[in-house]
Every structure is written in C-alpha cells, then in structure tokens.
Amino acid sequence: QVEGTIATVLPGTMFRVKLDNQHELLAHLSGKMRKHFVRLTVGDRVRLEMSPYDLTKARITYRLK
C-alpha cells in the first residue's frame, strides 16, 4: 500500500495518481468506494493498492483526510 495525490480525473472512475516519489500511475476505484459513492477530485490524498505484476496500475482503497 502506498499514498499519493490525484493529478487527473479520467472517465470511467479512472484517475491518474502521482505518488510521493513522483511516479505517475493509472488507478481505478475499489468496489466499496463505488458502492458508497465516494467522490474524488484533483488534489485529494488517497491510499492505493499496487499490483506487483504491473507497477503502472493500482486500485484506490481509501480517501485520506
């Protein structure tokens, strides 16, 4: 799990997220966040789960305060 900031909002609940170490990756919302209609905008801090197979993709699991 890593933390980052949303850089761009893309269609289809996809987001471009910039990590703290300046890497950018493509992330999608987890099912729980879709179910509870959690809204994300540019600049929000989020917690991500990254795939060990493809380091350019991740799942957003939590919106930090």
Side-chain angles (χ1 to χ4, degrees):
Q1 288 188 347
V2 292
E3 292 182 6
T5 306
I6 294 183
T8 313
V9 179
L10 302 170
T13 65
M14 299 287 281
F15 301 90
R16 187 146 325 267
V17 179
K18 184 170 260 192
L19 299 180
D20 296 336
N21 59 7
Q22 303 307 314
H23 279 79
E24 279 205 2
L25 47 87
L26 194 64
H28 65 274
L29 276 182
S30 68
K32 286 258 189 190
M33 291 185 75
R34 285 186 198 195
K35 180 180 171 187
H36 295 290
F37 299 106
V38 175
R39 299 285 176 225
L40 297 174
T41 58
V42 174
D44 284 350
R45 296 278 301 160
V46 291
R47 186 176 301 144
L48 306 159
E49 288 180 353
M50 289 185 67
S51 166
Y53 303 106
D54 188 357
L55 298 177
T56 63
K57 292 187 170 66
R59 177 186 322 141
I60 298 173
T61 57
Y62 191 75
R63 180 174 162 240
L64 300 169
K65 302 295 181 218

